[in-house]
Amino acid sequence: MPFIDLIASIVVRLSRGEALARSCNGEFRLDPTVGVASFDLGGSRQPAVCTIGGAELLVQLAAPVIGVMGVNPVGRAVAEFARAALGAEVVFCSGAGESHPDDSERCVAPEEVERNADIYCFPLPLPSNAGDWLLSRRAQAFRSRAIIVAWHRSASVERALTYLGGHIADDVPLGELAAQGKMSKFHLLRLFKATLGITPHRCHLLLRIHQARTMLHQGMRIPEVALALGFFDHAHLNRTFRLFASDPPSWYQHHGNFFQDRASGVS
């Protein structure tokens, strides 16, 4: 379930109101409106750790070649910093409907990014082919030692996520959520889509599913988890899981997460 493991981990951290460090490295600066999260795939049998930060994460990873899976302003900002501050080579993989980089840029197929990149960067919102590529990794190990997700930071979105995080089991109408950011519900909807690539309702479901996975892995019964998180019943929880992945809730009673399994060799 790679989409949940990438996006939900970020959504959960932001919903707790965690701050990002200033994004600078000497004379070179990463756009301060760009947030960065890294997922360590270094082979540990522990769950892949999501670390949120900015330029300092890219500096710590020190990757010679970065594959950017999508061409958008966020991806370009990461590429510009990686080249200027780290001397890294950057290869782009564009998705359907995306503008291509300048002729001077290197734009390749996902398979070539996989062969050449030391780390992968997924700038939100994800292009469709990036999601398909992640799903295809389910059956095999990642060559990369880390995955980076980058997104455009928005104070309004982060306030809304904090509110959702405090009301995981509750129904939260869009108008109620928009009031937290003091904007119209239509503006908030557009902002979520532009920032994270999904709607506030989907974010709320991701928070619920993320918590459900944790509870299931800790040994709680599926009906108990469903009731605790505001689902009508076991069937409702099962349907919601299947909105995001092919694995039913019972799978998570015996497994960790997508990236944990890939790092530890579980298939």
Side-chain angles (χ1 to χ4, degrees):
M1 195 184 292
F3 181 76
I4 286 182
D5 285 309
L6 283 175
I7 308 300
S9 294
I10 296 169
V11 168
V12 168
R13 298 286 293 275
L14 294 178
S15 72
R16 296 170 182 163
E18 296 188 20
L20 280 72
R22 293 182 61 84
S23 300
C24 61
N25 179 41
E27 62 180 301
F28 303 106
R29 291 181 178 272
L30 176 64
D31 184 341
T33 66
V34 173
V36 179
S38 70
F39 296 81
D40 182 10
L41 305 177
S44 170
R45 297 188 68 86
Q46 297 301 314
V49 176
C50 170
T51 304
I52 289 185
E56 73 285 351
L57 287 182
L58 296 174
V59 173
Q60 291 168 10
L61 290 168
V65 183
I66 297 178
V68 181
M69 309 293 284
V71 183
N72 59 31
V74 172
R76 292 177 187 273
V78 171
E80 180 181 343
F81 176 82
R83 289 194 185 103
L86 310 177
E89 179 185 356
V90 177
V91 291
F92 282 93
C93 174
S94 62
E98 288 188 314
S99 61
H100 287 265
D102 299 335
D103 292 338
S104 59
E105 300 282 13
R106 185 180 173 194
C107 192
V108 300
E111 295 76 15
E112 186 171 344
V113 173
E114 183 179 2
R115 286 194 298 270
N116 293 286
D118 298 286
I119 62 174
Y120 310 130
C121 174
F122 292 86
L124 299 182
L126 289 177
S128 60
N129 65 330
D132 294 341
W133 181 84
L134 276 171
L135 285 173
S136 73
R137 300 300 92 195
R138 186 60 184 254
Q140 55 190 288
F142 286 93
R143 176 188 178 277
S144 171
R145 56 189 168 84
I147 283 180
I148 291 173
V149 178
W151 68 96
H152 179 74
R153 295 195 63 203
S154 164
S156 296
V157 168
E158 291 175 20
R159 281 196 299 270
L161 290 175
T162 300
Y163 189 78
L164 289 175
H167 298 79
I168 290 180
D170 303 328
D171 289 329
V172 180
L174 184 59
E176 178 182 333
L177 190 61
Q180 303 302 311
K182 299 181 179 179
M183 63 179 65
S184 73
K185 59 184 181 180
F186 302 107
H187 185 192
L188 182 66
L189 183 63
R190 289 193 298 269
L191 195 57
F192 262 76
K193 290 284 287 183
T195 302
L196 300 176
I198 53 178
T199 64
H201 178 64
R202 283 275 170 139
C203 279
H204 200 189
L205 290 177
L206 282 173
L207 288 169
R208 284 182 171 182
I209 293 299
H210 187 277
Q211 183 62 28
R213 291 188 321 164
T214 300
M215 296 165 75
L216 290 167
H217 194 56
Q218 291 173 345
M220 287 187 66
R221 298 173 60 247
I222 294 175
E224 295 172 340
V225 172
L227 291 177
L229 294 178
F231 294 99
F232 295 121
D233 52 25
H234 177 183
H236 185 201
L237 176 63
N238 188 68
R239 288 195 303 272
T240 304
F241 259 79
R242 292 185 181 279
L243 284 174
F244 300 98
S246 58
D247 299 313
S250 57
W251 190 87
Y252 288 93
Q253 292 178 312
H254 309 289
H255 298 78
N257 61 49
F258 178 86
F259 296 109
Q260 178 183 2
D261 297 337
R262 299 285 64 74
S264 62
V266 175
S267 61

